[in-house]
Amino acid sequence: QVQLVESGGGLVQPGGSLRLSCAASGFTLDYYAIGWFRQAPGKEREGVSCISTSDGSTDYADSVKGRFTISRDNAKNTVYLQMNSLKPEDTAVYYCAAGPPIIYYSGSYYLARLYDYWGQGTQVTVSS
């Protein structure tokens, strides 16, 4: 059974850090584009970051550039999103998604309809 499972969300104060994990089962992440998306209440889903698991190339949305880092550990079949300097506006449910590598190489990092598999999401709340 193909599955993506996110973990690592929680409540953190502004300026704090969290590391989200996206663990894949039922398939290997060797040649995929993995995207992180988020959706805050009342807002549209937003693409946050994308990685090509074949060569580690990355992309970031302007809103998180310099604060978030996406990485992968192919041996653990897991992709991570390290989130530093968190702000209240980062509060959202965070989802990871897997899709064909053409997503990354065509620059279509955040076209959600191109992704084949989605996780269930993990809540991140940034508040004092």
Side-chain angles (χ1 to χ4, degrees), residues 81-107:
L81 185 69
Q82 177 67 43
M83 306 187 296
N84 298 330
S85 302
L86 283 162
K87 305 175 181 180
E89 51 264 44
D90 294 317
T91 295
V93 177
Y94 283 71
Y95 302 89
C96 66
I102 188 65
I103 290 174
Y104 188 88
Y105 296 108
S106 67

PDB file of all heavy atoms in Angstrom, residues 81-107:
ATOM      1  N   LEU A  81      11.512  18.584   6.379  1.00  0.00           N
ATOM      2  CA  LEU A  81      11.392  20.027   6.225  1.00  0.00           C
ATOM      3  C   LEU A  81      11.789  20.653   7.551  1.00  0.00           C
ATOM      4  O   LEU A  81      11.039  20.576   8.530  1.00  0.00           O
ATOM      5  CB  LEU A  81       9.965  20.434   5.829  1.00  0.00           C
ATOM      6  CG  LEU A  81       9.793  21.916   5.529  1.00  0.00           C
ATOM      7  CD1 LEU A  81      10.532  22.274   4.228  1.00  0.00           C
ATOM      8  CD2 LEU A  81       8.320  22.290   5.399  1.00  0.00           C
ATOM      9  N   GLN A  82      12.990  21.218   7.591  1.00  0.00           N
ATOM     10  CA  GLN A  82      13.464  21.926   8.774  1.00  0.00           C
ATOM     11  C   GLN A  82      12.954  23.348   8.709  1.00  0.00           C
ATOM     12  O   GLN A  82      13.230  24.063   7.735  1.00  0.00           O
ATOM     13  CB  GLN A  82      14.992  21.908   8.819  1.00  0.00           C
ATOM     14  CG  GLN A  82      15.577  22.675   9.989  1.00  0.00           C
ATOM     15  CD  GLN A  82      15.276  22.027  11.333  1.00  0.00           C
ATOM     16  OE1 GLN A  82      15.371  20.816  11.481  1.00  0.00           O
ATOM     17  NE2 GLN A  82      14.924  22.843  12.314  1.00  0.00           N
ATOM     18  N   MET A  83      12.228  23.741   9.730  1.00  0.00           N
ATOM     19  CA  MET A  83      11.600  25.063   9.756  1.00  0.00           C
ATOM     20  C   MET A  83      12.181  25.852  10.916  1.00  0.00           C
ATOM     21  O   MET A  83      11.999  25.473  12.083  1.00  0.00           O
ATOM     22  CB  MET A  83      10.085  24.929   9.889  1.00  0.00           C
ATOM     23  CG  MET A  83       9.459  24.027   8.832  1.00  0.00           C
ATOM     24  SD  MET A  83       7.662  24.036   8.871  1.00  0.00           S
ATOM     25  CE  MET A  83       7.377  23.340  10.497  1.00  0.00           C
ATOM     26  N   ASN A  84      12.882  26.918  10.596  1.00  0.00           N
ATOM     27  CA  ASN A  84      13.478  27.786  11.607  1.00  0.00           C
ATOM     28  C   ASN A  84      12.837  29.165  11.562  1.00  0.00           C
ATOM     29  O   ASN A  84      12.162  29.518  10.591  1.00  0.00           O
ATOM     30  CB  ASN A  84      14.989  27.907  11.364  1.00  0.00           C
ATOM     31  CG  ASN A  84      15.710  26.587  11.481  1.00  0.00           C
ATOM     32  OD1 ASN A  84      15.317  25.688  12.227  1.00  0.00           O
ATOM     33  ND2 ASN A  84      16.795  26.437  10.717  1.00  0.00           N
ATOM     34  N   SER A  85      13.071  29.933  12.608  1.00  0.00           N
ATOM     35  CA  SER A  85      12.555  31.303  12.682  1.00  0.00           C
ATOM     36  C   SER A  85      11.074  31.352  12.351  1.00  0.00           C
ATOM     37  O   SER A  85      10.623  32.181  11.540  1.00  0.00           O
ATOM     38  CB  SER A  85      13.347  32.220  11.739  1.00  0.00           C
ATOM     39  OG  SER A  85      14.720  32.199  12.051  1.00  0.00           O
ATOM     40  N   LEU A  86      10.332  30.465  12.962  1.00  0.00           N
ATOM     41  CA  LEU A  86       8.910  30.346  12.633  1.00  0.00           C
ATOM     42  C   LEU A  86       8.138  31.591  13.041  1.00  0.00           C
ATOM     43  O   LEU A  86       8.449  32.244  14.052  1.00  0.00           O
ATOM     44  CB  LEU A  86       8.327  29.107  13.297  1.00  0.00           C
ATOM     45  CG  LEU A  86       8.680  27.797  12.587  1.00  0.00           C
ATOM     46  CD1 LEU A  86       8.467  26.601  13.493  1.00  0.00           C
ATOM     47  CD2 LEU A  86       7.860  27.645  11.312  1.00  0.00           C
ATOM     48  N   LYS A  87       7.141  31.901  12.228  1.00  0.00           N
ATOM     49  CA  LYS A  87       6.296  33.074  12.427  1.00  0.00           C
ATOM     50  C   LYS A  87       4.843  32.625  12.601  1.00  0.00           C
ATOM     51  O   LYS A  87       4.467  31.552  12.116  1.00  0.00           O
ATOM     52  CB  LYS A  87       6.390  33.984  11.210  1.00  0.00           C
ATOM     53  CG  LYS A  87       7.798  34.407  10.842  1.00  0.00           C
ATOM     54  CD  LYS A  87       7.790  35.207   9.541  1.00  0.00           C
ATOM     55  CE  LYS A  87       9.180  35.612   9.131  1.00  0.00           C
ATOM     56  NZ  LYS A  87       9.179  36.400   7.869  1.00  0.00           N
ATOM     57  N   PRO A  88       4.022  33.435  13.238  1.00  0.00           N
ATOM     58  CA  PRO A  88       2.601  33.062  13.363  1.00  0.00           C
ATOM     59  C   PRO A  88       1.947  32.765  12.015  1.00  0.00           C
ATOM     60  O   PRO A  88       1.076  31.887  11.944  1.00  0.00           O
ATOM     61  CB  PRO A  88       1.993  34.296  14.039  1.00  0.00           C
ATOM     62  CG  PRO A  88       3.114  34.861  14.843  1.00  0.00           C
ATOM     63  CD  PRO A  88       4.342  34.650  14.005  1.00  0.00           C
ATOM     64  N   GLU A  89       2.374  33.451  10.974  1.00  0.00           N
ATOM     65  CA  GLU A  89       1.782  33.214   9.656  1.00  0.00           C
ATOM     66  C   GLU A  89       2.196  31.881   9.033  1.00  0.00           C
ATOM     67  O   GLU A  89       1.687  31.510   7.982  1.00  0.00           O
ATOM     68  CB  GLU A  89       2.114  34.359   8.691  1.00  0.00           C
ATOM     69  CG  GLU A  89       3.567  34.712   8.604  1.00  0.00           C
ATOM     70  CD  GLU A  89       3.946  35.889   9.508  1.00  0.00           C
ATOM     71  OE1 GLU A  89       3.490  35.916  10.681  1.00  0.00           O
ATOM     72  OE2 GLU A  89       4.699  36.766   9.049  1.00  0.00           O
ATOM     73  N   ASP A  90       3.100  31.158   9.689  1.00  0.00           N
ATOM     74  CA  ASP A  90       3.444  29.806   9.235  1.00  0.00           C
ATOM     75  C   ASP A  90       2.455  28.765   9.763  1.00  0.00           C
ATOM     76  O   ASP A  90       2.532  27.590   9.374  1.00  0.00           O
ATOM     77  CB  ASP A  90       4.850  29.415   9.693  1.00  0.00           C
ATOM     78  CG  ASP A  90       5.936  30.258   9.059  1.00  0.00           C
ATOM     79  OD1 ASP A  90       5.846  30.517   7.844  1.00  0.00           O
ATOM     80  OD2 ASP A  90       6.865  30.664   9.780  1.00  0.00           O
ATOM     81  N   THR A  91       1.553  29.188  10.615  1.00  0.00           N
ATOM     82  CA  THR A  91       0.563  28.272  11.167  1.00  0.00           C
ATOM     83  C   THR A  91      -0.321  27.705  10.065  1.00  0.00           C
ATOM     84  O   THR A  91      -0.916  28.455   9.291  1.00  0.00           O
ATOM     85  CB  THR A  91      -0.309  28.991  12.209  1.00  0.00           C
ATOM     86  OG1 THR A  91       0.511  29.378  13.317  1.00  0.00           O
ATOM     87  CG2 THR A  91      -1.433  28.087  12.705  1.00  0.00           C
ATOM     88  N   ALA A  92      -0.377  26.386  10.000  1.00  0.00           N
ATOM     89  CA  ALA A  92      -1.139  25.709   8.939  1.00  0.00           C
ATOM     90  C   ALA A  92      -1.036  24.205   9.143  1.00  0.00           C
ATOM     91  O   ALA A  92      -0.238  23.725   9.965  1.00  0.00           O
ATOM     92  CB  ALA A  92      -0.583  26.067   7.562  1.00  0.00           C
ATOM     93  N   VAL A  93      -1.833  23.478   8.385  1.00  0.00           N
ATOM     94  CA  VAL A  93      -1.624  22.040   8.245  1.00  0.00           C
ATOM     95  C   VAL A  93      -0.644  21.850   7.100  1.00  0.00           C
ATOM     96  O   VAL A  93      -0.843  22.387   6.013  1.00  0.00           O
ATOM     97  CB  VAL A  93      -2.934  21.292   7.973  1.00  0.00           C
ATOM     98  CG1 VAL A  93      -2.661  19.801   7.770  1.00  0.00           C
ATOM     99  CG2 VAL A  93      -3.923  21.514   9.109  1.00  0.00           C
ATOM    100  N   TYR A  94       0.403  21.099   7.367  1.00  0.00           N
ATOM    101  CA  TYR A  94       1.440  20.862   6.376  1.00  0.00           C
ATOM    102  C   TYR A  94       1.291  19.467   5.790  1.00  0.00           C
ATOM    103  O   TYR A  94       1.130  18.482   6.526  1.00  0.00           O
ATOM    104  CB  TYR A  94       2.824  21.024   7.011  1.00  0.00           C
ATOM    105  CG  TYR A  94       3.213  22.458   7.212  1.00  0.00           C
ATOM    106  CD1 TYR A  94       2.586  23.240   8.183  1.00  0.00           C
ATOM    107  CD2 TYR A  94       4.194  23.053   6.420  1.00  0.00           C
ATOM    108  CE1 TYR A  94       2.916  24.574   8.356  1.00  0.00           C
ATOM    109  CE2 TYR A  94       4.540  24.389   6.594  1.00  0.00           C
ATOM    110  CZ  TYR A  94       3.905  25.134   7.563  1.00  0.00           C
ATOM    111  OH  TYR A  94       4.247  26.461   7.736  1.00  0.00           O
ATOM    112  N   TYR A  95       1.350  19.405   4.467  1.00  0.00           N
ATOM    113  CA  TYR A  95       1.213  18.150   3.745  1.00  0.00           C
ATOM    114  C   TYR A  95       2.451  17.901   2.885  1.00  0.00           C
ATOM    115  O   TYR A  95       3.005  18.837   2.307  1.00  0.00           O
ATOM    116  CB  TYR A  95       0.017  18.192   2.802  1.00  0.00           C
ATOM    117  CG  TYR A  95      -1.307  18.468   3.458  1.00  0.00           C
ATOM    118  CD1 TYR A  95      -1.762  19.767   3.632  1.00  0.00           C
ATOM    119  CD2 TYR A  95      -2.122  17.420   3.883  1.00  0.00           C
ATOM    120  CE1 TYR A  95      -2.985  20.023   4.233  1.00  0.00           C
ATOM    121  CE2 TYR A  95      -3.352  17.667   4.477  1.00  0.00           C
ATOM    122  CZ  TYR A  95      -3.765  18.961   4.647  1.00  0.00           C
ATOM    123  OH  TYR A  95      -4.984  19.202   5.228  1.00  0.00           O
ATOM    124  N   CYS A  96       2.838  16.646   2.778  1.00  0.00           N
ATOM    125  CA  CYS A  96       3.835  16.294   1.774  1.00  0.00           C
ATOM    126  C   CYS A  96       3.154  15.515   0.658  1.00  0.00           C
ATOM    127  O   CYS A  96       2.111  14.888   0.873  1.00  0.00           O
ATOM    128  CB  CYS A  96       5.002  15.507   2.352  1.00  0.00           C
ATOM    129  SG  CYS A  96       4.605  13.866   2.977  1.00  0.00           S
ATOM    130  N   ALA A  97       3.745  15.600  -0.513  1.00  0.00           N
ATOM    131  CA  ALA A  97       3.173  14.942  -1.686  1.00  0.00           C
ATOM    132  C   ALA A  97       4.302  14.444  -2.574  1.00  0.00           C
ATOM    133  O   ALA A  97       5.386  15.049  -2.616  1.00  0.00           O
ATOM    134  CB  ALA A  97       2.279  15.903  -2.449  1.00  0.00           C
ATOM    135  N   ALA A  98       4.056  13.354  -3.264  1.00  0.00           N
ATOM    136  CA  ALA A  98       5.046  12.760  -4.160  1.00  0.00           C
ATOM    137  C   ALA A  98       4.500  12.710  -5.577  1.00  0.00           C
ATOM    138  O   ALA A  98       3.328  12.367  -5.795  1.00  0.00           O
ATOM    139  CB  ALA A  98       5.413  11.356  -3.690  1.00  0.00           C
ATOM    140  N   GLY A  99       5.358  13.017  -6.525  1.00  0.00           N
ATOM    141  CA  GLY A  99       4.955  12.992  -7.922  1.00  0.00           C
ATOM    142  C   GLY A  99       6.138  12.690  -8.815  1.00  0.00           C
ATOM    143  O   GLY A  99       7.270  12.576  -8.345  1.00  0.00           O
ATOM    144  N   PRO A 100       5.908  12.554 -10.100  1.00  0.00           N
ATOM    145  CA  PRO A 100       6.979  12.215 -11.027  1.00  0.00           C
ATOM    146  C   PRO A 100       8.038  13.311 -11.093  1.00  0.00           C
ATOM    147  O   PRO A 100       7.714  14.491 -10.907  1.00  0.00           O
ATOM    148  CB  PRO A 100       6.261  12.051 -12.367  1.00  0.00           C
ATOM    149  CG  PRO A 100       5.007  12.828 -12.219  1.00  0.00           C
ATOM    150  CD  PRO A 100       4.621  12.745 -10.786  1.00  0.00           C
ATOM    151  N   PRO A 101       9.284  12.954 -11.369  1.00  0.00           N
ATOM    152  CA  PRO A 101      10.366  13.941 -11.366  1.00  0.00           C
ATOM    153  C   PRO A 101      10.185  15.077 -12.355  1.00  0.00           C
ATOM    154  O   PRO A 101      10.759  16.149 -12.185  1.00  0.00           O
ATOM    155  CB  PRO A 101      11.626  13.115 -11.683  1.00  0.00           C
ATOM    156  CG  PRO A 101      11.136  11.822 -12.201  1.00  0.00           C
ATOM    157  CD  PRO A 101       9.787  11.598 -11.617  1.00  0.00           C
ATOM    158  N   ILE A 102       9.350  14.906 -13.388  1.00  0.00           N
ATOM    159  CA  ILE A 102       9.105  15.977 -14.355  1.00  0.00           C
ATOM    160  C   ILE A 102       8.527  17.206 -13.653  1.00  0.00           C
ATOM    161  O   ILE A 102       8.703  18.334 -14.133  1.00  0.00           O
ATOM    162  CB  ILE A 102       8.166  15.493 -15.472  1.00  0.00           C
ATOM    163  CG1 ILE A 102       8.067  16.532 -16.578  1.00  0.00           C
ATOM    164  CG2 ILE A 102       6.785  15.163 -14.925  1.00  0.00           C
ATOM    165  CD1 ILE A 102       9.379  16.775 -17.327  1.00  0.00           C
ATOM    166  N   ILE A 103       7.896  17.006 -12.523  1.00  0.00           N
ATOM    167  CA  ILE A 103       7.365  18.146 -11.768  1.00  0.00           C
ATOM    168  C   ILE A 103       8.498  19.103 -11.431  1.00  0.00           C
ATOM    169  O   ILE A 103       8.373  20.322 -11.585  1.00  0.00           O
ATOM    170  CB  ILE A 103       6.676  17.671 -10.471  1.00  0.00           C
ATOM    171  CG1 ILE A 103       5.377  16.927 -10.783  1.00  0.00           C
ATOM    172  CG2 ILE A 103       6.399  18.854  -9.546  1.00  0.00           C
ATOM    173  CD1 ILE A 103       4.724  16.309  -9.561  1.00  0.00           C
ATOM    174  N   TYR A 104       9.607  18.540 -10.966  1.00  0.00           N
ATOM    175  CA  TYR A 104      10.717  19.414 -10.581  1.00  0.00           C
ATOM    176  C   TYR A 104      11.394  19.995 -11.811  1.00  0.00           C
ATOM    177  O   TYR A 104      11.639  21.200 -11.895  1.00  0.00           O
ATOM    178  CB  TYR A 104      11.735  18.644  -9.730  1.00  0.00           C
ATOM    179  CG  TYR A 104      12.769  19.579  -9.176  1.00  0.00           C
ATOM    180  CD1 TYR A 104      12.578  20.222  -7.970  1.00  0.00           C
ATOM    181  CD2 TYR A 104      13.920  19.878  -9.914  1.00  0.00           C
ATOM    182  CE1 TYR A 104      13.484  21.130  -7.492  1.00  0.00           C
ATOM    183  CE2 TYR A 104      14.837  20.785  -9.444  1.00  0.00           C
ATOM    184  CZ  TYR A 104      14.620  21.409  -8.230  1.00  0.00           C
ATOM    185  OH  TYR A 104      15.524  22.323  -7.765  1.00  0.00           O
ATOM    186  N   TYR A 105      11.697  19.154 -12.786  1.00  0.00           N
ATOM    187  CA  TYR A 105      12.501  19.605 -13.924  1.00  0.00           C
ATOM    188  C   TYR A 105      11.741  20.494 -14.890  1.00  0.00           C
ATOM    189  O   TYR A 105      12.342  21.182 -15.711  1.00  0.00           O
ATOM    190  CB  TYR A 105      13.136  18.410 -14.611  1.00  0.00           C
ATOM    191  CG  TYR A 105      14.097  17.723 -13.662  1.00  0.00           C
ATOM    192  CD1 TYR A 105      13.804  16.490 -13.104  1.00  0.00           C
ATOM    193  CD2 TYR A 105      15.270  18.359 -13.276  1.00  0.00           C
ATOM    194  CE1 TYR A 105      14.666  15.893 -12.206  1.00  0.00           C
ATOM    195  CE2 TYR A 105      16.129  17.772 -12.364  1.00  0.00           C
ATOM    196  CZ  TYR A 105      15.825  16.544 -11.840  1.00  0.00           C
ATOM    197  OH  TYR A 105      16.674  15.968 -10.938  1.00  0.00           O
ATOM    198  N   SER A 106      10.416  20.525 -14.781  1.00  0.00           N
ATOM    199  CA  SER A 106       9.627  21.458 -15.591  1.00  0.00           C
ATOM    200  C   SER A 106       9.374  22.754 -14.846  1.00  0.00           C
ATOM    201  O   SER A 106       8.807  23.694 -15.404  1.00  0.00           O
ATOM    202  CB  SER A 106       8.278  20.822 -15.952  1.00  0.00           C
ATOM    203  OG  SER A 106       7.477  20.659 -14.807  1.00  0.00           O
ATOM    204  N   GLY A 107       9.785  22.803 -13.581  1.00  0.00           N
ATOM    205  CA  GLY A 107       9.555  23.997 -12.780  1.00  0.00           C
ATOM    206  C   GLY A 107       8.154  24.108 -12.221  1.00  0.00           C
ATOM    207  O   GLY A 107       7.772  25.140 -11.683  1.00  0.00           O
TER     208      GLY A 107
END
